Amino acid sequence: MSSTPETHPRVVIVGAGIVGCSLADELTARGWTDVTVLEQGPLPAPGGSTSHAPGLVFQTSPSKTLTAFARYTVEKFNSLQVDGVSCFNQVGGLELATTPERLADLHRKAGYAASWGVRGEIVSAARCKELWPLIDESTVLGGFHTPDDGLARAVLASRAQMARAVEKGARFLDRHTVTGIEQEDGRVTAVVTDRGSFPADHVVSAAGFWGPVIGRMAGVEVPLQPLAHQYAKTKQLPELAGAEAEASKPILRFQDRDLYFREHHDRIGIGSYAHKPLPVDPFAILPYDEARANDMEMPSSFPFTEEDWALSWDDCRELMPALRETEIEEGFNGVFSFTPDGMPVLGESRKLRGFWLAEAVWVTHSAGVAKAVAEWMVDGRASIDLHECDLTRFEEAQRSPSYIRERGSQQFVEVYDVLHPLQPMEHPRPLRVSPFYARQQELGAHFLEGGGWERPHWYEANAPLVDALDPLPERDAWSARYWSPIAAAEAKATREKVALYDMTPLRRLEVTGPGALGFLQRMTTNNLRKKPGAVTYTLLLDETGGVRSDLTVARLAPDRFQVGANSPTDLDWLLRHAPEDVHIKDITSGTCCIGVWGPLARDLVQPLTRDDFSHEGFGYFRAKETYLGHVPVTAMRLSYVGELGWELYTSADLGLRLWDTLWEAGEEHGVIAAGRSAFNSLRLEKGYRAWGVDMTDEHNPYEAGVGFAVRMDKDGFVGQEALQGLATAEPERRLTPLLLDDPAAVVLGKEPVFVDGAPAGYVTSASYGYTLGRCVAYAWLPALASGTGVHIEYFGEKVAATVADEPLFDPKMTRIRR
C-alpha cells in the first residue's frame, strides 16, 4: 500500500470513461473524497471505448477473477438509474453451439458458471429458438443460457456514478488534455494538463487505449495493444417492428463464426471478431476535436472496412434468415484494448510510487475492477485475488513493443476460440530456452510454453517405455490433447529409477547484504535463522494473512540467500519492502537448474563429486556448493515429486555441460529425461501445492494446508497478527484432496464440485496419478471428513470422487529421506 501523510489523499484519475467514473465512485464511497477526474473529451461521452461500447456483459469466464469482476458490475449497474432508466438491462445471455466442439465448450462453460456462482444452464436448440425466434433452429445444436447477463448502458452508468462521486466531493473536468506527470524522489506529485496542473498523491491511469501514452509520461510501461473491431447495425427489420424496449431478447453469441448480436429496438447490432486483427497505434489516435474535424464521430470510432465484413455478413444471414431481406445501414470499427494474455493491467508502479494503472478493462468488468483497485488503494489489498491482473506479472521478454503487438493481436483472434487450458501460444516461439534445449530437441521433447519458456512436457525418446506399462484408461479427446501416455512411463521411471527434469523456468532470486536475514525473517513466515547450508520452505503473506506466494530459501552464507520464487510479482513485492542494506537480484536468466530425482539419484550423483551426498552427510532440505565433474553447482536436497534427489543449479554457460555430465553418468542407471506432465502427476500424488493455482492471497496458510510453514513464535512477520488463533481453529473451508472413484475418469481443473447435490466448491489442480491408478484432484471445499463422497461435473456429467487423506503417496516420507 502507498502510504501518504495526508488524511485525505489527493487522487487524480486520468480518463472519465466507465472505469474512471466507476473508480471515482468507489473511492469516494470509501472516504477518499479529494478526487479529480480529468478527461480530454466532452462529458458524459468523451469519445473513448465507453462511448461506443455495445455493452454486452457475459459474466462467465475461465478466470475466477474476471467472473467476480463481471458479477459485481452486473450487481452494481442493476442498482443504478438515471432519469428512471436502469443502467443495466438484464435480458440474459445466450451462447449458441453449431458444432459438437462448441457444444462441449459450452458444457465446460456451464461448469465454470457453477464453480464461480453464476446462474446458467445448457439448453436445447428448441429452447434457443424460443429465446431468439429469428435464428434458424436447424443450424443449432444447443446453447448456454445465463439469465442474469445482459446489456450495460455504459454512458448512463458513467453518468450515474459520476453524480454519486460528485455528491461526495469528487470533481470531473472535461476538455483537459494531460501533457505530463510530475514526480519527485520516486513519487508522483502532480498531473499537468493544457489547462493547468493538479497536485496529486495518487494518479490513476484509466485512459483506456490511451494508457500507453499516459504511461510514457510517467516512465511506466503499459503492456496494452489497441485494436479496431467491427460493429454494424442493420436496417429496420419487419420482425422487430413496433419494439418499444431497446432490447428484450438475450444478448447472443455465435462464437463458431466469431459474431455477437444485440437488439437496438427494431434493428440488430452485430459485432465481429472474424476479420484480421487491426492494430492501432495509441500514440496516433486523434484527440476528440481533431477526430471530429476529420469526419470521425469520435476518436475510438474508425471507418467501417467493408472488405472485412462480407464473410461475416454471409454467416449472419445463415444463422438468421430474416437478415437476408435487409442490409447493413451503418457500421464502424471501434477501438478497444488487448494485452498479451487478455487480462487487465492493474496496480501501482514500484518505479513511480503513487502511479496506478486501471487499464485494458472492458465494460463487462469495469465496476468490479474499480472496486478492486479502490480497495487496493485504500486498504492495501483487494478482497479478491488479482495476481492474474497485476501489472508486474509479465516477464522482461514479454514487454517488448513487438511482443505486446503480436500477442495482443492474437488475443483478438482467440476471443471466441475454443482454447484448451494447456494450449500454448504459437508465436513468438521459441522465445526463452534453457541451456539444455538442444539435448531436449534430440530426445524429441514435446514443448509447451509458460512465461515465454519452452517447457518439455514429455519426450518421444521414452515412447518404448510405454510398452512396459499396464494398460492405461482410454482418455476422452479433450483430456488427451497436450497429453501422451509417455508421461505415465516417465512418472514410473522417476518412481523406480532416476530422471532429469528441467527446472530452469522456476524463478531464482539472490538476496544479499548485512540486512538480508532480518529482511527475509520479517517478510516470510518460517524461521530462516539457521546455519548456512539450510533450506527452508516458507510463505509470503499480505497483512491479512493471505498467501501471496510460497518460497524456498537457501541460506548459502551468513549474508547471502538464494530464493526460489514464483513470478515477477514476488520480486516486485520484495523490492518494494527491501531496506537499503539489502540487495535483491533476479538471477533466473543467468542460471539453470536440473532436478535429479528417483531412488537411484544418489547412485548417479555421488560418483561425480568428492563431497558426501549420503543421507547423513547431505540431509533433506540442506544445500551445498560443490562440483559435479567440472561444473560448479549449488546442490539443494529438495524434491517436488516425492522421491530422493537434488535440485542442481549452475550458471547458464555451464548448463549444457552439467546436463551432459549427468546424462553420461546416469546411462548405467537407466536415466531418462522427464517432462512437466509427469512432474505434475507426481507432485499431486504428494500433495504439493502450486501457488496461483491451488492457493492465492484469498486463502490463509491453515486452510491451504501449508500451516506447517508458519512459525507464530517468530517475531514480527508480515501477516502474523492476522493469523492469531487460526492455527487451532477449525477452517470453514479447506484445500481438499479428492480421488476419483472410477480409475478411468479424469478431470483437468476448474470444474465445480457438488456436495449433497449442490455446488460447494471447485477443482484447482488435477492430474492422473499413475502410481495410484486414479485421477487426483485438489479442490476448495467446506471442511469435509475423509471418506466423504462428492461429485465433480465434467462436460455436464457427474463424476464420483471421495475425500482422501494426504499425502496420498508415501505419507511417512520414507522415499525422500533415505
Side-chain angles (χ1 to χ4, degrees):
M1 177 181 178
S2 292
S3 60
T4 58
E6 297 81 2
T7 305
H8 300 288
R10 298 166 297 179
V11 180
V12 175
I13 299 171
V14 180
I18 189 66
V19 178
C21 291
S22 298
L23 181 57
D25 183 39
E26 295 289 337
L27 284 173
T28 54
R30 288 166 174 78
W32 280 23
T33 55
D34 190 349
V35 175
T36 301
V37 184
L38 302 175
E39 173 53 58
Q40 68 167 349
L43 291 174
S49 300
T50 300
S51 302
H52 72 245
L56 283 72
V57 178
F58 285 93
Q59 297 173 83
T60 307
S61 163
S63 166
K64 180 174 178 284
T65 298
L66 286 186
T67 303
F69 288 159
R71 287 181 63 191
Y72 182 74
T73 299
V74 168
E75 176 188 330
K76 184 175 186 181
F77 288 2
N78 246 333
S79 71
L80 300 176
Q81 290 188 351
V82 175
D83 298 330
V85 178
S86 174
C87 294
F88 193 77
N89 185 2
Q90 203 158 37
V91 292
L94 179 63
E95 302 181 46
L96 301 177
T98 59
T99 65
E101 294 77 15
R102 182 66 63 181
L103 186 60
D105 189 58
L106 294 186
H107 276 286
R108 281 191 299 278
K109 187 165 285 187
Y112 296 145
S115 290
W116 315 144
V118 175
R119 287 202 304 156
E121 64 174 339
I122 299 297
V123 297
S124 67
R127 177 59 177 152
C128 293
K129 177 73 170 179
E130 291 176 11
L131 292 166
W132 252 92
L134 296 185
I135 67 171
D136 179 358
E137 180 185 353
S138 69
T139 67
V140 177
L141 300 181
F144 176 48
H145 180 222
T146 46
D148 298 327
D149 290 342
L151 291 164
R153 298 183 172 102
V155 174
L156 214 59
S158 296
R159 285 179 57 193
Q161 294 176 101
M162 192 186 311
R164 285 164 38 131
V166 168
E167 284 181 5
K168 295 182 181 70
R171 57 177 176 166
F172 287 73
L173 304 176
D174 63 0
R175 301 294 189 175
H176 281 66
T177 300
V178 174
T179 58
I181 307 292
E182 293 187 344
Q183 52 187 284
E184 184 177 338
D185 296 328
R187 279 204 64 88
V188 70
T189 58
V191 177
V192 182
T193 76
D194 58 350
R195 299 174 66 177
S197 295
F198 296 84
D201 303 303
H202 299 270
V203 173
V204 186
S205 178
F209 51 70
W210 279 294
V213 179
I214 304 302
R216 180 173 293 182
M217 296 178 191
V220 175
E221 297 171 339
V222 181
L224 174 161
Q225 177 60 56
L227 286 109
H229 159 63
Q230 287 197 310
Y231 191 78
K233 293 180 182 178
T234 67
K235 292 181 177 179
Q236 293 177 329
L237 291 178
E239 293 82 356
L240 301 179
E244 296 183 4
E246 175 194 14
S248 59
K249 300 175 185 61
I251 50 177
L252 184 69
R253 277 174 166 170
F254 182 22
Q255 291 157 298
D256 288 322
R257 292 295 184 271
D258 295 307
L259 293 165
Y260 63 81
F261 304 83
R262 58 152 295 182
E263 297 165 284
H264 292 277
H265 294 284
D266 56 1
R267 300 191 294 167
I268 293 179
I270 307 166
S272 171
Y273 293 99
H275 56 84
K276 65 181 181 294
L278 301 170
V280 176
D281 181 357
F283 295 90
I285 298 176
L286 298 176
Y288 186 91
D289 291 328
E290 288 186 39
R292 298 283 289 180
N294 282 271
D295 296 324
M296 295 171 63
E297 184 178 345
M298 61 185 81
S300 62
S301 178
F302 280 39
F304 191 66
T305 49
E306 294 280 358
E307 64 275 15
D308 294 314
W309 181 252
L311 290 177
S312 289
W313 188 227
D314 290 342
D315 291 332
C316 294
R317 290 171 155 183
E318 181 181 350
L319 179 69
M320 296 187 190
L323 299 182
R324 297 169 189 169
E325 306 302 321
T326 189
E327 299 293 337
I328 294 300
E329 186 170 70
E330 59 180 304
F332 66 97
N333 289 6
V335 181
F336 62 138
S337 304
F338 288 81
T339 59
D341 60 3
M343 299 295 288
V345 181
L346 313 177
E348 182 194 24
S349 169
R350 178 174 48 82
K351 296 179 181 178
L352 181 58
R353 303 300 293 271
F355 184 79
W356 295 75
L357 297 181
E359 295 291 7
V361 182
W362 294 6
V363 170
T364 301
H365 310 116
S366 55
V369 163
K371 177 188 177 186
V373 173
E375 291 172 337
W376 201 348
M377 295 176 71
V378 176
D379 303 326
R381 73 182 298 274
S383 56
I384 63 171
D385 169 49
L386 298 181
H387 83 274
E388 293 178 307
C389 310
D390 196 297
L391 65 89
T392 65
R393 70 188 182 271
F394 294 109
E395 303 283 348
E396 188 68 32
Q398 298 172 312
R399 295 182 190 145
S400 70
S402 58
Y403 185 94
I404 293 167
R405 179 185 175 95
E406 186 169 349
R407 293 304 307 156
S409 296
Q410 186 62 24
Q411 287 295 327
F412 177 92
V413 171
E414 294 176 353
V415 162
Y416 284 167
D417 285 0
V418 176
L419 298 176
H420 193 277
L422 292 177
Q423 185 167 329
M425 67 180 190
E426 296 180 4
H427 305 285
R429 289 181 66 192
L431 185 61
R432 307 175 79 186
V433 299
S434 78
F436 327 126
Y437 183 64
R439 297 292 182 265
Q440 293 165 342
Q441 288 180 303
E442 292 167 4
L443 293 170
H446 184 91
F447 293 101
L448 299 184
E449 180 272 341
W453 288 100
E454 294 297 315
R455 298 185 175 193
H457 272 241
W458 65 85
Y459 294 85
E460 288 298 330
N462 296 323
L465 301 179
V466 175
D467 296 336
L469 298 175
D470 292 332
L472 292 169
E474 195 167 323
R475 290 205 169 203
D476 66 274
W478 185 251
S479 66
R481 289 184 69 183
Y482 307 107
W483 173 85
S484 168
I486 294 171
E490 293 176 358
K492 180 180 174 66
T494 306
R495 291 277 189 240
E496 295 181 353
K497 293 183 179 180
V498 62
L500 306 185
Y501 287 82
D502 181 2
M503 306 302 290
T504 300
L506 298 184
R507 183 163 304 278
R508 292 171 291 286
L509 310 177
E510 184 179 70
V511 182
T512 59
L517 174 61
F519 168 66
L520 290 172
Q521 281 282 82
R522 185 173 69 256
M523 295 302 297
T524 72
T525 60
N526 214 332
N527 182 25
L528 307 180
R529 198 175 296 278
K530 303 172 183 176
K531 293 179 180 179
V535 182
T536 306
Y537 177 79
T538 188
L539 308 173
L540 288 178
L541 305 183
D542 62 23
E543 294 287 354
T544 69
V547 181
R548 282 191 58 93
S549 189
D550 61 344
L551 312 174
T552 54
V553 180
R555 191 176 191 184
L556 303 179
D559 294 339
R560 180 164 63 93
F561 296 81
Q562 182 171 310
V563 177
N566 284 297
S567 74
T569 305
D570 294 344
L571 173 62
D572 182 83
W573 176 257
L574 292 172
L575 286 171
R576 286 174 186 268
H577 293 85
E580 291 185 0
D581 62 350
V582 174
H583 307 283
I584 304 173
K585 181 181 180 182
D586 189 334
I587 60 172
T588 308
S589 297
T591 56
C592 59
C593 178
I594 300 175
V596 182
W597 291 313
L600 301 182
R602 184 176 289 115
D603 297 326
L604 189 160
V605 175
Q606 182 63 80
L608 299 174
T609 179
R610 294 181 178 180
D611 281 307
D612 184 0
F613 270 57
S614 69
H615 182 63
E616 295 73 24
F618 197 156
Y620 192 51
F621 268 83
R622 299 293 298 172
K624 282 186 181 181
E625 293 182 297
T626 184
Y627 287 87
L628 294 182
H630 298 94
V631 182
V633 299
T634 299
M636 298 186 195
R637 179 92 183 271
L638 304 174
S639 175
Y640 205 54
V641 299
E643 295 293 336
L644 171 68
W646 288 265
E647 293 180 358
L648 303 173
Y649 299 88
T650 192
S651 55
D653 60 324
L654 289 166
L656 189 58
R657 184 59 179 264
L658 176 61
W659 180 282
D660 289 344
T661 299
L662 294 169
W663 190 263
E664 182 179 344
E667 285 184 318
E668 65 178 288
H669 304 294
V671 71
I672 67 161
R676 300 283 299 184
S677 187
F679 176 88
N680 199 46
S681 171
L682 297 170
R683 71 101 179 165
L684 280 172
E685 289 183 330
K686 282 298 294 179
Y688 293 147
R689 277 63 168 149
W691 185 85
V693 179
D694 297 317
M695 57 186 180
T696 68
D697 62 6
E698 291 184 357
H699 312 110
N700 72 55
Y702 302 105
E703 59 191 7
V706 289
F708 62 87
V710 178
R711 295 292 178 267
M712 290 298 289
D713 56 352
K714 190 177 77 165
D715 290 338
F717 61 83
V718 174
Q720 184 176 27
E721 185 176 342
L723 298 185
Q724 294 293 336
L726 294 183
T728 55
E730 182 68 23
E732 293 184 4
R733 60 177 180 175
R734 293 181 188 272
L735 183 61
T736 305
L738 304 174
L739 274 177
L740 273 61
D741 294 354
D742 182 353
V746 294
V747 296
L748 299 181
K750 299 188 178 182
E751 296 89 355
V753 182
F754 290 74
V755 178
D756 295 330
Y762 60 91
V763 174
T764 58
S765 296
S767 179
Y768 200 84
Y770 302 109
T771 317
L772 302 172
R774 298 285 176 89
C775 183
V776 179
Y778 271 77
W780 279 103
L781 290 169
L784 299 172
S786 178
T788 302
V790 301
H791 287 88
I792 303 172
E793 186 177 284
Y794 183 68
F795 285 95
E797 299 293 328
K798 297 293 195 302
V799 179
T802 302
V803 175
D805 292 317
E806 60 175 344
L808 302 168
F809 176 77
D810 187 27
K812 295 184 179 180
M813 304 286 283
T814 57
R815 298 175 70 91
I816 291 176
R817 295 189 173 100
R818 60 181 174 183

